[in-house]
Amino acid sequence: MEQTPLRVLMISSTGELGGAEQSFYEIIKALPQTQALPEVCLPSNSPLFRMCVAAQLPTHAITFRHFRRTINPFVLAGQIYAIYKTSQQIC
């Protein structure tokens, strides 16, 4: 029985080229296409977005809200709502 490839959503909220983003890119490129179908969500004006598009990876431009650490429940609720709205764009 043949298995269906696993859909994998990779998200970076900044898309800047630091060490974490380099690892992010290398992981996406290393995923075996027969076992995983990566989808990438990044800010459209970022270097990582341009790299993924150039590598012909399925890339989606998403506007991310700037998040900050807080214990204020109202700010946390707003951040969770922003994540929810962004996920609706991805689907």
Side-chain angles (χ1 to χ4, degrees):
M1 177 194 257
E2 189 174 318
Q3 288 187 325
T4 307
L6 180 65
R7 293 179 66 198
V8 178
L9 179 62
M10 304 284 287
I11 302 173
S12 174
S13 61
T14 64
E16 298 302 320
L17 289 179
E21 289 74 23
Q22 287 289 345
S23 295
F24 178 96
Y25 182 73
E26 293 300 321
I27 289 169
I28 295 167
K29 294 290 291 174
L31 287 173
Q33 295 296 315
T34 59
Q35 297 176 355
L37 298 173
E39 299 263 344
V40 183
C41 294
L42 301 161
S44 62
N45 59 347
S46 67
L48 186 55
F49 180 87
R50 290 188 290 277
M51 284 175 60
C52 290
V53 168
Q56 299 181 342
L57 294 167
T59 308
H60 306 278
I62 299 290
T63 302
F64 287 100
R65 176 178 169 176
H66 178 73
F67 292 104
R68 60 188 166 107
R69 290 185 183 189
T70 181
I71 58 171
N72 181 326
F74 296 108
V75 173
L76 289 172
Q79 291 177 343
I80 291 169
Y81 182 72
I83 292 169
Y84 169 76
K85 293 303 284 182
T86 300
S87 70
Q88 293 297 310
Q89 292 176 19
I90 295 167
C91 292

